[in-house]
Amino acid sequence: QGFKPERTVEFHWYAGEEGGLLGSQDVAKEYKRAHRKVVGNLHFDMTGFWEKESKEVIGLVADRTDPESRALVKNLAETYTKLKTDEFECGYGCSDHASWNAFGFRSAMAFESIDLHANTNIHSPKDTVETLDFDHMLEFSKLAVAYAYEVGYDNGN
């Protein structure tokens, strides 16, 4: 009760990801130009689907992120959610976390699984709310709250 972070906590939604990370590049570039202090960036992309035949995890992208941020997210996820984490590599700047990383900001990305292509419904007429798992999404919501709480306090850092 009474949560009031010492640091500013921002939530961003971007447009133009599929066109080349356009929205996040613009924002990260402007933050860099303005010398904005960013303690960390946790990016969520596609959090509502997982193949029931596979192990339910929070996938942590290991490339174009920094190890310290990934370690924090892993710790928070495994403390405050019912899921374990597993790392995987995209092999390219697969989402908006890469823009922040490219401009020198600490960044991590949590994904719905460890397989970027597991959701065969994406970007198709079958990409509907009926294909989402709201219990799976809830675990990402818990992670988001834990991250905002943790980075919202200075703790001398």
Side-chain angles (χ1 to χ4, degrees):
Q1 276 202 323
F3 173 64
K4 185 173 192 273
E6 297 168 354
R7 295 179 172 134
T8 300
V9 175
E10 298 180 352
F11 294 86
H12 294 200
W13 287 262
Y14 304 110
E17 185 225 23
E18 300 297 337
L21 311 178
L22 303 175
S24 60
Q25 280 185 13
D26 283 350
V27 175
K29 180 179 180 181
E30 176 57 24
Y31 276 43
K32 180 79 168 184
R33 187 202 62 75
H35 303 287
R36 296 273 305 262
K37 181 179 180 182
V38 176
V39 175
N41 170 290
L42 174 57
H43 179 67
F44 293 94
D45 193 342
M46 297 173 53
T47 62
F49 178 86
W50 70 281
E51 292 179 300
K52 302 295 188 239
E53 305 81 42
S54 65
K55 185 171 94 175
E56 185 180 15
V57 298
I58 292 176
L60 298 179
V61 175
D63 53 338
R64 293 170 179 78
T65 60
D66 72 272
E68 190 176 336
S69 293
R70 279 196 319 277
L72 171 62
V73 172
K74 175 183 174 66
N75 184 17
L76 293 173
E78 294 184 3
T79 301
Y80 296 106
T81 79
K82 68 177 187 176
L83 302 178
K84 297 294 183 194
T85 61
D86 204 352
E87 291 189 9
F88 71 101
E89 291 191 1
C90 293
Y92 66 102
C94 61
S95 198
D96 295 301
H97 70 286
S99 297
W100 291 90
N101 182 264
F103 283 98
F105 296 107
R106 294 173 52 195
S107 184
M109 178 179 153
F111 190 71
E112 63 193 2
S113 72
I114 57 167
D115 180 358
L116 287 176
H117 306 291
N119 185 351
T120 58
N121 299 316
I122 187 168
H123 305 311
S124 80
K126 295 178 185 175
D127 195 1
T128 64
V129 71
E130 292 81 20
T131 66
L132 300 177
D133 183 321
F134 286 90
D135 291 329
H136 190 64
M137 292 167 62
L138 175 61
E139 300 308 310
F140 286 86
S141 299
K142 292 175 187 177
L143 177 55
V145 171
Y147 186 84
Y149 188 88
E150 186 70 26
V151 300
Y153 287 103
D154 189 349
N155 296 324
N157 298 318

Coordinates of all heavy atoms in Angstrom, one line a residue, residues 32-101:
K32 N 18.2 9.7 -25.8 CA 19.7 9.8 -25.9 C 20.1 11.3 -26.2 O 21.0 11.8 -25.5 CB 20.2 8.9 -27.0 CG 21.7 8.9 -27.2 CD 22.3 8.0 -26.1 CE 23.8 7.8 -26.4 NZ 24.4 6.9 -25.5
R33 N 19.4 11.9 -27.1 CA 19.8 13.3 -27.5 C 19.6 14.2 -26.3 O 20.4 15.1 -26.0 CB 18.9 13.7 -28.7 CG 19.3 15.1 -29.2 CD 18.2 15.8 -30.0 NE 17.0 16.1 -29.2 CZ 16.9 17.0 -28.2 NH1 17.9 17.8 -28.0 NH2 15.7 17.2 -27.6
A34 N 18.5 14.0 -25.5 CA 18.2 14.8 -24.4 C 18.9 14.4 -23.1 O 18.7 15.0 -22.1 CB 16.7 14.8 -24.2
H35 N 19.7 13.4 -23.2 CA 20.5 12.9 -22.0 C 19.6 12.5 -20.9 O 19.8 12.7 -19.7 CB 21.5 13.9 -21.5 CG 22.5 14.4 -22.6 ND1 23.5 13.5 -23.0 CD2 22.6 15.5 -23.3 CE1 24.2 14.2 -24.0 NE2 23.6 15.4 -24.2
R36 N 18.4 11.9 -21.3 CA 17.5 11.4 -20.3 C 18.1 10.2 -19.5 O 18.7 9.3 -20.2 CB 16.2 10.9 -20.9 CG 15.4 12.0 -21.6 CD 14.4 12.8 -20.7 NE 13.5 11.9 -20.0 CZ 12.2 11.7 -20.3 NH1 11.8 12.3 -21.5 NH2 11.5 11.0 -19.6
K37 N 18.0 10.2 -18.2 CA 18.5 9.0 -17.5 C 17.4 7.9 -17.5 O 16.3 8.1 -17.1 CB 18.7 9.4 -16.0 CG 19.3 8.3 -15.2 CD 19.6 8.7 -13.8 CE 20.1 7.4 -13.0 NZ 20.4 7.7 -11.6
V38 N 17.8 6.8 -18.0 CA 17.0 5.6 -18.1 C 17.6 4.5 -17.3 O 18.7 4.1 -17.6 CB 16.7 5.2 -19.5 CG1 15.9 3.9 -19.6 CG2 16.0 6.3 -20.3
V39 N 17.0 4.1 -16.2 CA 17.6 3.1 -15.3 C 17.5 1.7 -16.0 O 18.4 0.9 -15.9 CB 16.9 3.1 -13.9 CG1 17.4 1.9 -13.1 CG2 17.2 4.4 -13.2
G40 N 16.4 1.5 -16.7 CA 16.2 0.2 -17.4 C 15.0 0.2 -18.2 O 14.1 1.1 -18.1
N41 N 14.9 -0.7 -19.1 CA 13.8 -0.8 -20.0 C 13.4 -2.3 -20.1 O 14.3 -3.1 -20.5 CB 14.2 -0.3 -21.4 CG 13.2 -0.6 -22.5 OD1 13.0 -1.7 -22.9 ND2 12.5 0.4 -23.0
L42 N 12.2 -2.6 -19.7 CA 11.7 -4.0 -19.9 C 10.6 -4.0 -21.0 O 9.6 -3.3 -20.8 CB 11.1 -4.5 -18.6 CG 10.5 -5.9 -18.6 CD1 11.4 -7.0 -19.2 CD2 9.9 -6.3 -17.3
H43 N 10.9 -4.7 -22.0 CA 10.0 -4.7 -23.1 C 9.2 -6.0 -23.1 O 9.8 -7.1 -23.0 CB 10.8 -4.6 -24.4 CG 9.9 -4.6 -25.7 ND1 9.0 -3.6 -25.9 CD2 9.8 -5.5 -26.6 CE1 8.3 -4.0 -27.1 NE2 8.8 -5.1 -27.5
F44 N 7.9 -6.0 -23.3 CA 7.1 -7.1 -23.5 C 6.6 -7.2 -24.9 O 6.1 -6.2 -25.4 CB 5.8 -7.1 -22.5 CG 6.2 -7.2 -21.1 CD1 6.4 -6.0 -20.3 CD2 6.3 -8.4 -20.5 CE1 6.7 -6.1 -19.0 CE2 6.6 -8.5 -19.1 CZ 6.8 -7.4 -18.4
D45 N 6.7 -8.3 -25.5 CA 6.1 -8.5 -26.9 C 5.5 -9.9 -27.0 O 6.1 -10.9 -26.7 CB 7.3 -8.4 -27.9 CG 6.8 -8.2 -29.3 OD1 5.6 -8.5 -29.6 OD2 7.6 -7.8 -30.2
M46 N 4.3 -9.9 -27.4 CA 3.5 -11.1 -27.5 C 3.6 -11.9 -26.2 O 4.4 -12.8 -26.1 CB 4.1 -11.9 -28.7 CG 3.9 -11.2 -30.0 SD 4.7 -12.0 -31.4 CE 4.1 -13.7 -31.3
T47 N 2.6 -11.7 -25.4 CA 2.6 -12.4 -24.1 C 1.4 -13.3 -23.9 O 1.2 -13.8 -22.8 CB 2.6 -11.3 -22.9 OG1 1.5 -10.5 -23.0 CG2 3.9 -10.4 -23.0
G48 N 0.6 -13.5 -24.9 CA -0.7 -14.2 -24.7 C -0.8 -15.5 -25.2 O -1.9 -16.1 -25.1
F49 N 0.2 -16.1 -25.8 CA 0.1 -17.4 -26.5 C 1.2 -18.3 -26.0 O 2.3 -17.9 -25.8 CB 0.2 -17.2 -28.0 CG 0.1 -18.5 -28.8 CD1 -1.1 -19.0 -29.2 CD2 1.3 -19.2 -29.1 CE1 -1.1 -20.2 -29.9 CE2 1.2 -20.3 -29.8 CZ 0.0 -20.9 -30.2
W50 N 0.9 -19.5 -25.9 CA 1.9 -20.6 -25.7 C 1.3 -21.9 -26.1 O 0.1 -22.1 -25.9 CB 2.5 -20.6 -24.3 CG 1.6 -21.1 -23.2 CD1 0.6 -20.4 -22.6 CD2 1.6 -22.4 -22.6 NE1 0.0 -21.1 -21.6 CE2 0.6 -22.3 -21.6 CE3 2.3 -23.5 -22.7 CZ2 0.3 -23.4 -20.8 CZ3 2.0 -24.6 -21.9 CH2 1.0 -24.6 -21.0
E51 N 2.1 -22.7 -26.7 CA 1.7 -24.0 -27.2 C 1.5 -24.9 -25.9 O 2.5 -25.1 -25.2 CB 2.7 -24.6 -28.1 CG 2.8 -23.9 -29.4 CD 3.9 -24.6 -30.3 OE1 5.0 -24.6 -29.9 OE2 3.5 -25.1 -31.4
K52 N 0.3 -25.4 -25.8 CA 0.0 -26.3 -24.6 C 0.9 -27.5 -24.5 O 1.1 -28.0 -23.5 CB -1.4 -26.7 -24.6 CG -2.4 -25.5 -24.7 CD -2.4 -24.7 -23.4 CE -3.5 -23.7 -23.4 NZ -3.1 -22.3 -23.3
E53 N 1.5 -27.9 -25.7 CA 2.3 -29.1 -25.7 C 3.7 -28.8 -25.2 O 4.5 -29.7 -24.9 CB 2.4 -29.7 -27.1 CG 1.1 -30.1 -27.7 CD 0.4 -28.9 -28.3 OE1 1.0 -28.0 -29.0 OE2 -0.8 -28.8 -28.2
S54 N 4.1 -27.5 -25.1 CA 5.4 -27.1 -24.7 C 5.4 -26.7 -23.3 O 4.4 -26.5 -22.6 CB 5.9 -26.0 -25.6 OG 5.1 -24.8 -25.4
K55 N 6.6 -26.5 -22.7 CA 6.8 -26.0 -21.3 C 6.4 -24.5 -21.3 O 6.9 -23.7 -22.1 CB 8.2 -26.2 -20.9 CG 8.5 -25.9 -19.4 CD 9.9 -26.4 -19.0 CE 10.8 -25.2 -19.2 NZ 12.2 -25.5 -18.7
E56 N 5.6 -24.2 -20.3 CA 5.1 -22.8 -20.2 C 6.2 -22.0 -19.4 O 6.6 -22.4 -18.3 CB 3.8 -22.7 -19.4 CG 3.3 -21.3 -19.3 CD 2.0 -21.2 -18.5 OE1 1.6 -22.2 -17.8 OE2 1.4 -20.1 -18.6
V57 N 6.8 -21.1 -20.1 CA 7.9 -20.3 -19.5 C 7.7 -18.8 -20.0 O 6.9 -18.5 -20.8 CB 9.3 -20.7 -20.0 CG1 9.6 -22.2 -19.6 CG2 9.5 -20.5 -21.5
I58 N 8.5 -18.0 -19.3 CA 8.8 -16.6 -19.8 C 10.1 -16.6 -20.6 O 11.1 -16.9 -20.0 CB 8.8 -15.6 -18.7 CG1 7.4 -15.5 -18.0 CG2 9.3 -14.2 -19.2 CD1 7.3 -14.6 -16.8
G59 N 10.0 -16.4 -21.9 CA 11.2 -16.4 -22.7 C 11.9 -15.0 -22.5 O 11.3 -14.0 -22.6
L60 N 13.2 -15.1 -22.2 CA 14.1 -13.9 -22.1 C 15.0 -13.8 -23.3 O 15.8 -14.7 -23.5 CB 14.9 -13.9 -20.8 CG 14.0 -13.9 -19.5 CD1 15.0 -13.9 -18.3 CD2 13.1 -12.7 -19.5
V61 N 14.9 -12.8 -24.1 CA 15.8 -12.6 -25.2 C 17.2 -12.3 -24.7 O 17.4 -11.4 -23.9 CB 15.2 -11.5 -26.1 CG1 16.2 -11.2 -27.3 CG2 13.9 -11.9 -26.7
A62 N 18.1 -13.0 -25.2 CA 19.5 -12.9 -24.8 C 20.4 -12.0 -25.7 O 21.5 -11.6 -25.2 CB 20.2 -14.3 -24.7
D63 N 19.9 -11.7 -26.9 CA 20.7 -10.8 -27.7 C 20.1 -9.4 -27.8 O 18.9 -9.3 -27.6 CB 21.0 -11.4 -29.1 CG 19.8 -11.9 -29.8 OD1 18.7 -12.1 -29.2 OD2 19.8 -11.9 -31.1
R64 N 20.9 -8.4 -27.9 CA 20.5 -7.0 -27.9 C 19.8 -6.7 -26.6 O 18.9 -5.9 -26.6 CB 19.7 -6.7 -29.1 CG 20.5 -6.8 -30.4 CD 19.6 -6.7 -31.7 NE 20.4 -6.8 -32.9 CZ 21.0 -7.9 -33.4 NH1 20.8 -9.1 -32.8 NH2 21.7 -7.9 -34.5
T65 N 20.3 -7.3 -25.5 CA 19.8 -7.0 -24.2 C 21.1 -7.0 -23.3 O 22.1 -7.4 -23.8 CB 18.8 -8.0 -23.6 OG1 19.4 -9.3 -23.6 CG2 17.5 -8.0 -24.5
D66 N 21.0 -6.5 -22.1 CA 22.2 -6.6 -21.2 C 22.0 -7.7 -20.1 O 20.9 -7.9 -19.6 CB 22.6 -5.2 -20.7 CG 21.7 -4.8 -19.6 OD1 20.6 -4.1 -20.0 OD2 21.9 -5.0 -18.4
P67 N 23.1 -8.3 -19.8 CA 23.0 -9.4 -18.8 C 22.5 -9.0 -17.5 O 21.7 -9.8 -16.8 CB 24.5 -9.9 -18.7 CG 25.2 -9.4 -19.9 CD 24.4 -8.1 -20.3
E68 N 22.8 -7.9 -17.0 CA 22.3 -7.4 -15.7 C 20.8 -7.3 -15.7 O 20.1 -7.7 -14.7 CB 23.0 -6.1 -15.3 CG 22.8 -5.7 -13.8 CD 23.6 -4.5 -13.4 OE1 24.6 -4.2 -14.0 OE2 23.1 -3.8 -12.5
S69 N 20.3 -6.7 -16.7 CA 18.8 -6.5 -16.8 C 18.1 -7.9 -16.9 O 17.1 -8.1 -16.3 CB 18.5 -5.6 -18.0 OG 18.9 -4.3 -17.8
R70 N 18.7 -8.8 -17.7 CA 18.1 -10.1 -17.8 C 18.1 -10.8 -16.5 O 17.1 -11.5 -16.1 CB 18.9 -10.9 -18.9 CG 18.5 -10.6 -20.3 CD 18.9 -11.7 -21.3 NE 20.3 -12.3 -21.0 CZ 21.4 -11.7 -21.5 NH1 21.4 -10.6 -22.1 NH2 22.6 -12.3 -21.2
A71 N 19.2 -10.7 -15.8 CA 19.3 -11.3 -14.4 C 18.2 -10.8 -13.5 O 17.6 -11.6 -12.7 CB 20.7 -11.2 -13.9
L72 N 18.0 -9.5 -13.5 CA 17.0 -8.9 -12.7 C 15.6 -9.4 -13.1 O 14.8 -9.8 -12.2 CB 17.0 -7.4 -12.8 CG 15.8 -6.6 -12.1 CD1 15.8 -6.9 -10.6 CD2 15.9 -5.1 -12.4
V73 N 15.3 -9.4 -14.4 CA 14.0 -9.9 -14.8 C 13.8 -11.4 -14.5 O 12.7 -11.8 -14.1 CB 13.8 -9.6 -16.3 CG1 12.6 -10.3 -16.9 CG2 13.8 -8.1 -16.6
K74 N 14.9 -12.2 -14.7 CA 14.8 -13.6 -14.3 C 14.4 -13.7 -12.8 O 13.6 -14.5 -12.5 CB 16.1 -14.3 -14.6 CG 16.2 -15.7 -14.2 CD 17.6 -16.3 -14.5 CE 17.7 -17.7 -13.9 NZ 16.9 -18.7 -14.5
N75 N 15.1 -13.0 -12.0 CA 14.9 -13.1 -10.5 C 13.5 -12.7 -10.2 O 12.8 -13.3 -9.4 CB 15.9 -12.2 -9.8 CG 15.8 -12.3 -8.3 OD1 15.2 -13.2 -7.7 ND2 16.3 -11.3 -7.6
L76 N 13.0 -11.6 -10.8 CA 11.6 -11.1 -10.5 C 10.6 -12.1 -11.0 O 9.6 -12.4 -10.3 CB 11.4 -9.7 -11.1 CG 12.2 -8.6 -10.6 CD1 12.0 -7.3 -11.4 CD2 11.8 -8.3 -9.1
A77 N 10.8 -12.6 -12.2 CA 9.9 -13.6 -12.8 C 9.8 -14.8 -11.9 O 8.7 -15.3 -11.6 CB 10.2 -13.9 -14.2
E78 N 10.9 -15.3 -11.5 CA 10.9 -16.6 -10.8 C 10.5 -16.4 -9.3 O 10.2 -17.4 -8.6 CB 12.2 -17.3 -11.0 CG 12.4 -17.7 -12.4 CD 13.6 -18.5 -12.7 OE1 14.4 -18.8 -11.8 OE2 13.8 -18.8 -13.9
T79 N 10.5 -15.1 -8.8 CA 10.0 -14.8 -7.5 C 8.5 -14.5 -7.4 O 7.8 -15.0 -6.5 CB 10.8 -13.6 -6.9 OG1 12.2 -14.0 -6.9 CG2 10.4 -13.3 -5.5
Y80 N 8.0 -13.7 -8.4 CA 6.7 -13.2 -8.3 C 5.7 -13.8 -9.3 O 4.5 -13.5 -9.3 CB 6.7 -11.7 -8.5 CG 7.5 -11.0 -7.4 CD1 8.7 -10.5 -7.6 CD2 6.9 -10.9 -6.1 CE1 9.4 -9.9 -6.6 CE2 7.6 -10.3 -5.1 CZ 8.8 -9.8 -5.3 OH 9.5 -9.2 -4.3
T81 N 6.1 -14.7 -10.2 CA 5.2 -15.4 -11.1 C 5.3 -16.9 -10.8 O 6.2 -17.4 -10.1 CB 5.5 -15.1 -12.6 OG1 6.6 -15.9 -13.0 CG2 5.8 -13.7 -12.8
K82 N 4.4 -17.7 -11.4 CA 4.5 -19.1 -11.3 C 5.4 -19.8 -12.3 O 5.6 -21.0 -12.3 CB 3.1 -19.7 -11.3 CG 2.5 -19.6 -12.7 CD 1.1 -20.3 -12.8 CE 0.6 -20.3 -14.2 NZ -0.7 -21.1 -14.3
L83 N 6.0 -19.0 -13.2 CA 6.7 -19.5 -14.3 C 8.2 -19.4 -14.1 O 8.7 -18.5 -13.4 CB 6.4 -18.7 -15.6 CG 4.9 -18.7 -16.0 CD1 4.7 -17.9 -17.2 CD2 4.4 -20.2 -16.2
K84 N 9.0 -20.3 -14.7 CA 10.4 -20.2 -14.8 C 10.7 -19.4 -16.1 O 9.9 -19.2 -16.9 CB 11.0 -21.6 -14.9 CG 10.8 -22.4 -13.7 CD 11.5 -21.9 -12.5 CE 11.3 -22.7 -11.3 NZ 11.7 -22.0 -10.1
T85 N 12.0 -19.0 -16.2 CA 12.4 -18.3 -17.4 C 13.4 -19.2 -18.2 O 14.0 -20.2 -17.7 CB 13.1 -17.0 -17.1 OG1 14.3 -17.3 -16.3 CG2 12.2 -16.1 -16.3
D86 N 13.5 -18.9 -19.5 CA 14.5 -19.6 -20.3 C 14.9 -18.6 -21.4 O 14.1 -17.8 -21.9 CB 13.8 -20.8 -21.0 CG 14.8 -21.8 -21.4 OD1 16.1 -21.6 -21.3 OD2 14.4 -22.9 -21.9
E87 N 16.2 -18.5 -21.6 CA 16.8 -17.6 -22.6 C 16.8 -18.2 -24.0 O 17.0 -19.4 -24.1 CB 18.2 -17.1 -22.1 CG 18.2 -16.3 -20.9 CD 19.5 -15.7 -20.5 OE1 20.5 -15.8 -21.4 OE2 19.6 -15.1 -19.4
F88 N 16.7 -17.3 -24.9 CA 16.8 -17.6 -26.3 C 17.3 -16.4 -27.1 O 17.3 -15.3 -26.6 CB 15.5 -18.2 -26.9 CG 14.5 -17.1 -27.1 CD1 14.2 -16.6 -28.4 CD2 13.7 -16.7 -26.0 CE1 13.2 -15.6 -28.5 CE2 12.7 -15.7 -26.2 CZ 12.5 -15.2 -27.5
E89 N 17.8 -16.6 -28.3 CA 18.3 -15.5 -29.1 C 17.4 -15.3 -30.3 O 17.0 -16.3 -30.9 CB 19.7 -15.7 -29.6 CG 20.7 -15.7 -28.4 CD 22.2 -15.6 -28.9 OE1 22.4 -15.7 -30.1 OE2 23.0 -15.6 -28.0
C90 N 17.1 -14.1 -30.7 CA 16.4 -13.8 -31.9 C 17.3 -13.9 -33.1 O 16.9 -14.3 -34.2 CB 15.8 -12.4 -31.8 SG 14.6 -12.1 -30.6
G91 N 18.5 -13.4 -32.9 CA 19.4 -13.4 -34.1 C 19.4 -12.1 -34.9 O 20.1 -11.9 -35.8
Y92 N 18.5 -11.2 -34.5 CA 18.4 -9.9 -35.1 C 17.6 -9.0 -34.1 O 17.1 -9.5 -33.1 CB 17.7 -10.0 -36.4 CG 16.2 -10.4 -36.4 CD1 15.2 -9.5 -36.5 CD2 15.9 -11.8 -36.1 CE1 13.8 -9.9 -36.4 CE2 14.5 -12.2 -36.0 CZ 13.5 -11.2 -36.2 OH 12.2 -11.6 -36.1
G93 N 17.4 -7.8 -34.4 CA 16.7 -6.8 -33.6 C 15.2 -7.1 -33.7 O 14.5 -6.4 -34.4
C94 N 14.7 -8.2 -33.1 CA 13.4 -8.7 -33.3 C 12.2 -7.9 -32.7 O 11.1 -8.1 -32.9 CB 13.3 -10.1 -32.8 SG 13.6 -10.4 -31.1
S95 N 12.6 -6.9 -31.8 CA 11.5 -6.1 -31.2 C 12.1 -4.8 -30.6 O 13.3 -4.6 -30.8 CB 10.8 -6.9 -30.1 OG 9.5 -6.3 -29.9
D96 N 11.2 -4.1 -30.0 CA 11.6 -2.7 -29.6 C 12.7 -2.6 -28.6 O 13.3 -1.5 -28.4 CB 10.3 -2.0 -29.2 CG 9.3 -1.8 -30.3 OD1 9.7 -1.1 -31.3 OD2 8.2 -2.3 -30.2
H97 N 13.0 -3.7 -27.8 CA 14.1 -3.6 -26.9 C 15.4 -3.3 -27.6 O 16.3 -2.7 -27.0 CB 14.2 -5.0 -26.2 CG 14.7 -6.1 -27.1 ND1 13.9 -6.7 -28.0 CD2 15.9 -6.7 -27.2 CE1 14.6 -7.6 -28.7 NE2 15.8 -7.6 -28.2
A98 N 15.5 -3.7 -28.9 CA 16.7 -3.6 -29.6 C 17.0 -2.1 -29.9 O 18.2 -1.7 -29.9 CB 16.6 -4.3 -31.0
S99 N 16.0 -1.3 -30.0 CA 16.2 0.2 -30.2 C 16.9 0.8 -29.0 O 17.8 1.6 -29.1 CB 14.9 0.9 -30.4 OG 14.3 0.4 -31.6
W100 N 16.4 0.4 -27.8 CA 16.9 1.0 -26.6 C 18.4 0.5 -26.4 O 19.3 1.3 -26.0 CB 16.1 0.6 -25.4 CG 14.8 1.3 -25.4 CD1 13.6 0.9 -26.1 CD2 14.5 2.6 -25.0 NE1 12.6 1.9 -26.0 CE2 13.2 2.9 -25.3 CE3 15.3 3.6 -24.3 CZ2 12.6 4.1 -25.0 CZ3 14.7 4.8 -24.0 CH2 13.4 5.1 -24.3
N101 N 18.6 -0.8 -26.7 CA 19.9 -1.3 -26.6 C 20.9 -0.6 -27.5 O 22.0 -0.3 -27.2 CB 19.9 -2.8 -26.8 CG 21.2 -3.5 -26.7 OD1 21.9 -3.7 -27.7 ND2 21.6 -3.8 -25.5

